[in-house]
Amino acid sequence: MSTGTPTTGHTTVVAARAAWSSVVRTGETLTITDLHGNQAVDFLVYDAHDTSVRYSAPDTIHAQGNIFLTTGSVLMSNEHTPLMTVVDDEVGRHDTVGGACSKESNTLRYGHHTWSQHACVDNFLAEGARYGLGKRDLVSNINWYMNVPVEKDGTLGIVDGLSAPGLKLTLRAERDVLVLVSNCPQINNPCNGFEPTAVEMTIGVTG
């Protein structure tokens, strides 16, 4: 089950390192708030009625002509149809290429002593299982608030985030969607300032 802690109305505080999920209906908004700053939020989205239709990084990057997401960016499916649109962004740039941390990638990057550390893939698998999703349903994800600069030679970096306490981004659902979130538990690189913290999810309506 989700380890987020419900607060008031449609707002949930997702604890550090925890998973969260929800169906967001057509026209509803999902606002993600970086409560303490410098916290990466790994994100997957599926058609709520047919999860074989899901977020596609290649389609999204192609549609935007940009590897970074911000206000106006449309999250595209593997059928090249819109799932959600970023309607407001107080940070200005979010990652589409860094992927989700896993026990395997932690071991490769940081050493075998990290094998037992909880990772985003674990969160996605546990939360996705509630909806019948498994490992084959995990695709390249979005990393909200994560700062992954790309050098001219194609080298990727993971550096201190651009966010700050209280900064928000808001997405509008273009159809009924299932959202899976891993509030990233990574402690071996600066994506969370080496200290994962809580974030907030608010489902609302437009207009």
Side-chain angles (χ1 to χ4, degrees), residues 30 49 62 78 90 113 138 144 151 167 173 203:
L30 172 63
H49 305 290
H62 177 262
N78 53 330
E90 297 180 347
H113 67 283
L138 299 189
W144 301 117
E151 305 299 333
L167 293 190
I203 297 175

Side-chain angles (χ1 to χ4, degrees), residues 36-168:
H36 302 281
N38 209 16
Q39 173 61 38
V41 179
D42 289 44
F43 184 97
L44 288 170
V45 57
Y46 304 79
D47 184 307
H49 305 290
D50 180 2
T51 56
S52 69
V53 179
R54 68 275 304 265
Y55 170 73
S56 167
D59 286 85
T60 299
I61 292 167
H62 177 262
Q64 313 317 306
N66 198 323
I67 63 170
F68 300 112
L69 302 177
T70 188
T71 304
S73 297
V74 180
L75 310 187
M76 304 295 288
S77 77
N78 53 330
E79 295 186 343
H80 208 74
T81 53
L83 294 168
M84 304 186 85
T85 300
V86 182
V87 295
D88 190 36
D89 174 23
E90 297 180 347
V91 177
R93 192 177 80 182
H94 304 268
D95 169 63
T96 61
V97 297
C101 60
S102 66
K103 292 180 178 180
E104 292 79 7
S105 65
N106 282 345
T107 299
L108 180 64
R109 292 172 176 169
Y110 311 114
H112 191 72
H113 67 283
T114 66
W115 174 257
S116 62
Q117 292 176 3
H118 195 60
C120 284
V121 169
D122 301 314
N123 276 341
F124 281 143
L125 289 174
E127 198 68 15
R130 300 176 58 208
Y131 306 92
L133 301 174
K135 199 165 188 177
R136 290 186 178 184
D137 298 299
L138 299 189
V139 294
S140 296
N141 61 286
I142 297 166
N143 294 305
W144 301 117
Y145 302 107
M146 190 167 162
N147 188 13
V148 183
V150 181
E151 305 299 333
K152 290 183 178 180
D153 65 359
T155 302
L156 302 181
I158 298 176
V159 298
D160 285 340
L162 303 173
S163 186
L167 293 190
K168 301 177 181 180

